[in-house]
Amino acid sequence: MKQTVKRKEPDFIILFTTMTLLAIGMVMVFSASAVIAMENRQDLYFHLRRQAFWSILGLAGMIILSNYDYWKLKRWTNAILLASFLLLLAVFIPGLGVEIYGAKRWIGIGGFTGQPSDLAKVALLLFAAAYLSRKDIRIGKFTEGPLPVLGVMGIFFGLILLQPDLGTAMAIAGTVMVIIFVAGMPLQQIFLLGLSVTPLLGYLMVSKPYRMRRLLSFRDPWADPLNTGYQIIQSLYALGPGGLFGVGLGRSRQKFFYLPEPHSDFIFAIIGEELGFIGAASVLLLFFLLLWRGFKVALMAPDLFGSLLATGITAMIGLQALMNIGVVTGSIPVTGINLPLISAGGSSLLFTMCSIGVLLNISKHVK
Amino acid sequence: MSRSVVSNITVKKRLLFLFFIMALTVFLLILRLAYIQFVMAGDLQAKAWEQWNRGVPSRAPRGTIYDRKGRLMAGSASAESVIALPAQILDKEEAARLLAPILEIDEEKLFEQLSQKSASVYIKRLVDEETAQEVRRLNIRGITFAQEPKRFYPHGNLASQLLGFVGVDQGWSGLEIYYEQILKGRDGRFEFQADGRGRQIPQGIQRFIPPEDGHDLVLTIDQTIQFIMEREMDRVMLESQPKGIISIAVDPRTGEILALAGKPDFDPNRYNEFTSDSWKLSPVTDSFEPGSTFKLVTLSAALEEGKYRADEGFFCGGSINVAGSSIGCWTRGRGGHGAIDFLKVVLGSCNPGFVTLGQRIGADKLMQYLKAFGFGVRTGIDVPGEGIGILFSPQQYGPVEAATTAFGQGVSVTPIQQVMAVAAMANGGDLMKPYVVKEVRDSEGNVVRRQEPQVVRRVISEETTREVTRIMELVVTEGSGMNAYIDGYRIAGKTGTAQKVGPGGRYIGGEYILSFIGFAPAEDPQILLYIAVDAPQVGPQWGSQVSAPMYKRMMGDILKYMNIPSSKTQVNEAPKMVEVPNLIGMTLEEAGELLEPSGLLVRLIGSGGSILNQTPKAGAKVPLHTQILVYLGGEQVEGEVPVPDLTGKTMREAGEILGWLGLVMNSSGSGVAVSQDPAPQTRVNVNSVVNVEFRTPGDTDR
């Protein structure tokens, strides 16, 4: 087989699905947020403008990174890791951290607020891919391969849990685990690891009473319709009446102060209401396309680092998307996680776009 | 290539595995989505609509209740209720602070109400005009009013037990609850789609469902007859202080109830100030031993079966032996009625005579007649809570039970059952179904439903009813019902004095239910009247003295009101003058027996056990219905006596009465007493002087 040194075009399908999802997100953020933006800020376009701003920033990041050879990222790994660690600490510093609904997830600098955990996701997966692709690391040896990665992840996991943000912590853990798994961690070790963290996870669930209630309420949201079941019920009230074709773009009723966060965590419910099963299933299929191409890039990456990096990026987007849709459809417990590329979200969107930029760059180098 | 190439088979396998897992998850989520949007959709849609739709009720005016002549008995006026729309109130604390004193609600409680999460909250129902004005003047955003009907009863206590009352949002007793569905109509609604904060969504669907007005009731009740009846009942409640009085007037030809009342009653406008006992419609709910009025049923059966001949002889020795038990006559004390005929058995209400009639009819046949007359089952009258009464069960029903049943003991019946049974005797033999609502009309006045008279069954022949009527007329002209006689009319009637049965099934000593049932005019009965007075605490406990005079006063006024002309063919007339019997030395009970068929009214003075004196004296000829005064002594023992009411007495009578009590009369004028000092019932020392002013009737009249 002949190999060309010449760079290929980036994966078109990844680019296409990303841009389509971004466009759908823009329209739906506007539709879902207009009512509450008008009520809370007397500005119909508040969230639309923000989304546009972050999208442009994200697009810039994506273009830059898609043209920046991915293996050069290795040298930034430790710096990024350290920066995100410090930012995660910063959310607890009064004046710098911003507390919303009792959670300290944001930091505010000037007029901007961002979630350090969004950077932490990227930093960790970059670190995991870089570390595990080192030639001197034997993945088969637990203390040599998985343990250091798990250790760093554990620190981040703990910091994010303190915010508290269980959903993001789980998504990060999941992403890192996928990287370790693909890197070749022996199955017996995975099994033993799973056994040893089960009690810890169990404790995390039970330690805060609201977690347990939330955890179980998705099974029967009508058991406690005003508290733990409220969000799921409102989400179902959006999806159900949507039917096959939806009630029509812009004609959601659930966005009128019934569904909390209609433009971020529960935007998928508004899509299901306004655009129906056709619209919602299309979004799912677009994500499927993105995952398929992402895994394809991982499979065909020229080196282990590229392969693991592509795996991590794909897994990160895929896990968040599937978890979010799982929550909105009442299939899994409610965790505050947004829908990548679609939900209104500043730093989250920026870093997702940057990751896709990296993915596109790897795709240029596939065999 | 120089860079190392991933050829690790494990990495590839694991990537494919992960891809498969994610693809499967996507597939499952699409299935879940389809399940929600197609299978659960209908249910979710319905629940979501419930959440989005808000309604402001628009109350239907409740139907009006009219009497048979279209006079208002219960109506609805509009009053305002104060409503809060919590979402629109800017400063809830301030609003609560301002409103609390005006509405007389606790401020904190009010604040809680204003903070509720619903679209609208009733703060206070049905406030008066003044309060509404005050609230309006405050002009608080989010505080509005709703027009709501408020029930009112223009005549207060009149027919209160029958009409019932409207409690919170619905009828709670009487016709108001029985006809709730018809009266209330259907509330309308203004529906709109609201957002999560209770405000109308601009482009949401909205609709107005107009209220359907409640239907009106036109009763068979005649307000004037009801008024006459209750006036007399109230009067006797005051004079004789009984535990209660029940009265029913019915048109025997149709079964239409003309008036119906039980005392003590209540004012439905202020229903919560009365005990719930006073709410129930006692003429229909209560049942008790009927006593002598029940003898009419036995008489009818005997006549129908040919077992009664008026001139056949009968001897009453004061009791009769039935299957080894001795059953007494009320005349037992003086050795019975003696040798009489069967007409006298009826007129003298002789228990052994009726036992004999019952035996001739046969126990089973008698029971058949009882049931044919409607006893033992509900009449089906359209009011709530009708009682059934108790007849002997076939197992219990032996010769002794049949014997007591024949004169009205041991069974228990409701007043309405008795009334309908006697109505059959008055109307030619048909048992009618009683009813109170004649017509149901819609709010435009169109008749929606009309109740026609309903014959339940034919019970006895017309011939029998004629004979029963004739005998009942005799009761009034020469028997125990003489005090019910109305000059110029043919009145049929029968007195009853029944012992009260206590909770344990035993008779309560000294407490009687004094009843009277009758109809007029006898030649063409148009009105049947029943009265039962429960245990009067003041005065004699004899039917002839309590229920018969009541009947006379009520029936007299009703006949006049109904413009029923005097009977031209008055077959029997009561004597104009009657002789006063000698009562001195008798016990009260003996005197009662003697006075029962006398046509005289009695007024008791003192509280002793036997009669010490009387006026007029024995042997005097006095007009029918004259009141004779009977002195029982026992009052002037020590020091003080109550001054008697001397109004209407001649100077001689007044002097005599005062003499009994050891008081001295200082008279002025001549004729009959018109005023006195001290006033009646004032307690004075023995030998005190009572000033009495007399005037000749001609001086003041006209």
Side-chain angles (χ1 to χ4, degrees), chain A residues 3 181 185 234 256 258 302, chain B residues 1 4 14 32 51-52 194 196:
Chain A
Q3 288 180 354
F181 173 72
M185 183 177 177
Q234 295 309 328
F256 282 88
Y258 288 110
Chain B
M1 287 300 296
S4 71
R14 291 191 176 182
R32 169 76 181 159
Q51 166 174 286
W52 300 326

Side-chain angles (χ1 to χ4, degrees), chain A residues 116-196:
Chain A
S117 55
D118 291 325
L119 176 61
K121 272 183 255 183
V122 179
L124 259 180
L125 76 89
L126 185 61
F127 164 73
Y131 181 82
L132 291 171
S133 59
R134 271 168 58 175
K135 292 275 175 355
D136 55 339
I137 296 299
R138 282 169 299 170
I139 189 74
K141 285 212 72 166
F142 183 70
T143 48
E144 227 173 81
L147 188 62
V149 179
L150 288 172
V152 174
M153 185 204 83
I155 294 165
F156 278 64
F157 187 84
L159 280 174
I160 294 170
L161 261 191
L162 281 175
Q163 292 180 354
D165 188 353
L166 182 66
T168 303
M170 295 292 283
I172 286 177
T175 305
V176 171
M177 283 311 297
V178 164
I179 294 170
I180 296 174
F181 173 72
V182 171
M185 183 177 177
L187 289 174
Q188 312 95 288
Q189 285 183 21
I190 293 175
F191 180 72
L192 286 172
L193 184 67
L195 266 187
S196 58

